[in-house]
Amino acid sequence: MSPKGFIGENLPGWRPEELGGKLIVIEGADGSGRSVQIELLKNWLEEDGHGVVNVGLKQSSLVSEELEQAKQGNILGPITLSLFYATDFADQLENKIIPALRAGFIVLADRYVYTLMARDIVRGADPAWLEAIYEIAIRPDIVFYLKVSPQVLVDRNFQKNATLDYWESGMDIPLSRDMFQSFMRYQAMIQKQFKLFQRKYGFEVVNGNRTPKAIAREIRAKCQKILPE
Amino acid sequence: MDRSNIPGKLIAVEGLDGSGKSTQIYLLKRWLELGGYKVFFTEWNSSVLVKKATKKGKKRQLLTPTTFCLIHCTDFADRYERQILPLLRGGYIVLADRYMFTAFARDVTRGCRPEWVKNLYNFAVKPDITFFFNVPLDVAIGRIMSGRPSLKYFEAGMDLGLSNDPAESFRLFQGKIREEYLRMVDEYGFSVIDAALPIEQQQDRVREVVTEKIDLDAYLRRSKK
């Protein structure tokens, strides 16, 4: 088995060959069915005897509270917000993801650096700047991208909350004063960015417009190939 | 970076703890303020929101070289986006007590890759003048140690594992930072001030350089005329 690598250069203090576990990433917009799939996958893996650790965005012990506060107030500039998220990610990478991989766990990531980069790129950040920041990230063993059409996303968001999320609608970018239209445009921009990433980083694109069961079957079949005996 | 739409001027001071740079930039600020110029002063690690997280991270020793670097860059970005850049755009003289070079020196000493750290900060303009207060290691350490009873964990560079004795760790850490600074003198064109000189002589030299490099009349407050 090839040793795990970083997306770019090594993080100070870590050697890729020490990392035994597997990193599985599920990417997709809110309403794409990510959390359901993560739960199903976790059950399946644990039933099979694998140790599983969940990680996600904005969950670091270092800055998650402050980040949440900043988002509520909408008071940070875009570069500051990018760096705040990068700090949150690096903290989880070093304190959760790498130690778990080292101990042979399967790490299930509910979104990863690709979402962070895509969000910032559609807001005008320099892609080369972001890629150079996130080169410290561990390269996942497999990335699933749950692709759901913006129309279906809207329906699912309405069913769940009867409202669209401010940030997931890109309301901080002057796309449209109409939240519905802003959401549709923003999600289309994100999808376009993921299409570029898909070519560059080799994602598994999963059609998320289907039933959870059908999606789970496809994800399991693909995971099978990377799992340890 | 395009500087054509940035009429303001940026002056930064850099140097070891105990080099006297804060005293010097304070005196420069007073001189410019009293002379009726548009001046704004900003300090390293002082953004209100980010500082809370940094403080927590330091207190609980949660920070690694990577997160230490990122959180300080976040703090800097907050001050840069909301104050430094808008004020420069508005034609102010901005005085910065420490700037990106502090990060370059410290974070590289902590083991971050130099290119990675430099990339983080490449959204920010370089100063028009960067004063580097060059002081022998012993002098800087003597000034710090006489003024303060104990050294903090990260301040002493205890996270680097250089020594278990905070005072010895601080000395080794500062020595390495000093080497990094000296490497940058030519690359970034620092104006080097001999920080072992009396305060007044250093300040004379600082004001001389500022007068030479900046057309100060352009920064007078209109009401003062």
Side-chain angles (χ1 to χ4, degrees):
Chain A
M1 224 180 308
S2 66
K4 211 171 263 43
F6 293 84
I7 286 178
E9 295 282 334
N10 285 12
L11 198 59
W14 298 105
R15 289 197 309 277
E17 56 277 14
E18 298 174 337
L19 309 175
K22 297 286 172 191
L23 175 57
I24 300 174
V25 172
I26 301 195
E27 288 278 9
D30 278 1
S32 63
R34 264 181 6 252
S35 18
V36 173
Q37 289 305 323
I38 281 173
E39 205 188 320
L40 292 172
L41 188 57
K42 181 169 188 263
N43 289 344
W44 180 70
L45 288 167
E46 288 182 343
E47 197 178 2
D48 204 30
H50 300 287
V52 179
V53 169
N54 287 91
V55 296
L57 304 179
K58 227 173 40 177
Q59 290 177 9
S60 75
S61 40
L62 187 58
V63 296
S64 54
E65 278 170 51
E66 287 78 8
L67 195 47
E68 189 51 47
Q69 218 180 318
K71 272 182 71 177
Q72 295 305 330
N74 198 9
I75 50 171
L76 293 184
I79 294 173
T80 311
L81 205 53
S82 293
L83 287 164
F84 227 148
Y85 269 107
T87 310
D88 175 83
F89 173 76
D91 188 48
Q92 290 199 76
L93 179 68
E94 291 185 304
N95 291 309
K96 261 168 112 176
I97 299 177
I98 293 180
L101 290 173
R102 235 176 161 185
F105 280 82
I106 294 184
V107 176
L108 264 187
D110 183 350
R111 308 211 261 204
Y112 202 58
V113 297
Y114 311 107
T115 286
L116 296 176
M117 290 197 280
R119 283 180 187 165
D120 289 347
I121 290 170
V122 303
R123 286 174 172 80
D126 173 10
W129 181 68
L130 288 166
E131 278 169 22
I133 292 176
Y134 286 113
E135 69 172 26
I136 59 169
I138 301 281
R139 193 181 311 126
D141 293 278
I142 193 162
V143 181
F144 294 102
Y145 175 52
L146 295 177
K147 196 176 173 192
V148 175
S149 64
Q151 289 78 6
V152 174
L153 280 183
V154 162
D155 277 349
R156 289 186 186 167
N157 275 287
F158 281 153
Q159 275 169 27
K160 203 169 151 193
N161 306 317
T163 163
L164 300 170
D165 178 74
Y166 176 87
W167 297 92
E168 287 278 311
S169 304
M171 287 300 282
D172 58 315
I173 327 171
L175 292 173
S176 166
R177 295 171 67 89
D178 170 356
M179 198 167 191
F180 181 82
Q181 191 167 44
S182 183
F183 180 91
M184 299 300 269
R185 283 193 193 158
Y186 179 73
Q187 292 299 335
M189 286 161 77
I190 293 275
Q191 289 201 351
K192 205 174 136 201
Q193 193 52 50
F194 264 93
K195 207 169 168 185
L196 293 174
F197 284 161
Q198 180 196 327
R199 252 177 268 148
K200 188 161 185 180
Y201 299 108
F203 295 167
E204 300 285 345
V205 180
V206 176
N207 175 358
N209 296 323
R210 295 171 298 161
T211 65
K213 249 187 168 170
I215 298 169
R217 253 199 309 274
E218 184 181 340
I219 289 180
R220 280 175 201 167
K222 285 181 171 149
C223 279
Q224 203 91 56
K225 292 178 209 150
I226 59 135
L227 289 177
E229 291 301 306
Chain B
M1 184 165 295
D2 180 21
R3 297 289 291 259
S4 58
N5 58 1
I6 303 181
K9 293 286 178 189
L10 176 60
I11 303 173
V13 295
E14 290 280 2
L16 296 184
D17 294 341
S19 63
K21 61 185 176 330
S22 302
T23 305
Q24 291 298 327
I25 202 164
Y26 170 75
L27 290 171
L28 177 62
K29 176 176 165 253
R30 293 302 291 150
W31 180 60
L32 292 169
E33 275 171 355
L34 294 167
Y37 300 100
K38 291 188 279 183
V39 185
F40 173 77
F41 170 75
T42 179
E43 217 174 342
W44 191 251
N45 198 19
S46 64
S47 137
V48 179
L49 182 68
V50 184
K51 201 179 176 181
K52 248 175 63 192
T54 316
K55 226 171 154 182
K56 179 174 67 184
K58 286 185 178 168
K59 207 165 151 195
R60 300 196 205 147
Q61 300 179 7
L62 294 171
L63 298 168
T64 64
T66 307
T67 48
F68 188 95
C69 174
L70 280 166
I71 205 162
H72 282 88
C73 188
T74 309
D75 181 283
F76 173 80
D78 187 31
R79 287 181 297 116
Y80 185 80
E81 289 190 287
R82 293 198 293 143
Q83 293 185 309
I84 299 174
L85 186 60
L87 281 151
L88 288 173
R89 295 280 305 260
Y92 267 67
I93 298 176
V94 175
L95 303 179
D97 188 348
R98 298 188 175 279
Y99 203 64
M100 54 172 72
F101 310 108
T102 287
F104 295 175
R106 285 187 188 169
D107 296 331
V108 170
T109 299
R110 284 200 154 85
C112 294
R113 277 198 320 119
E115 299 76 30
W116 187 77
V117 181
K118 282 179 192 169
N119 171 74
L120 276 188
Y121 282 87
N122 78 5
F123 59 87
V125 295
K126 300 280 184 307
D128 296 278
I129 305 172
T130 305
F131 289 107
F132 173 59
F133 291 86
N134 192 18
V135 66
L137 192 54
D138 289 328
V139 176
I141 292 192
R143 286 177 185 167
I144 291 290
M145 297 303 267
S146 67
R148 269 183 266 188
S150 71
L151 293 162
K152 289 180 198 135
Y153 182 82
F154 283 100
E155 181 183 31
M158 294 296 282
D159 57 317
L160 278 83
L162 297 167
S163 165
N164 287 328
D165 172 33
E168 181 58 17
S169 172
F170 182 66
R171 151 178 290 280
L172 294 167
F173 183 47
Q174 294 294 314
K176 284 171 185 284
I177 289 176
R178 186 165 184 271
E179 284 169 28
E180 288 300 328
Y181 269 132
L182 291 172
R183 252 194 280 278
M184 288 189 275
V185 167
D186 290 333
E187 186 180 353
Y188 296 105
F190 291 168
S191 299
V192 181
I193 303 287
D194 179 356
L197 291 173
I199 290 175
E200 296 80 358
Q201 286 183 31
Q202 292 182 54
Q203 187 59 206
D204 282 347
R205 181 68 196 130
V206 166
R207 292 178 186 182
E208 216 175 270
V209 172
V210 170
T211 315
E212 244 167 59
K213 295 199 174 170
I214 297 176
D215 174 20
L216 286 174
D217 284 351
Y219 300 94
L220 273 173
R221 286 184 187 281
R222 280 202 196 99
S223 55
K224 284 267 176 170
K225 276 180 188 166

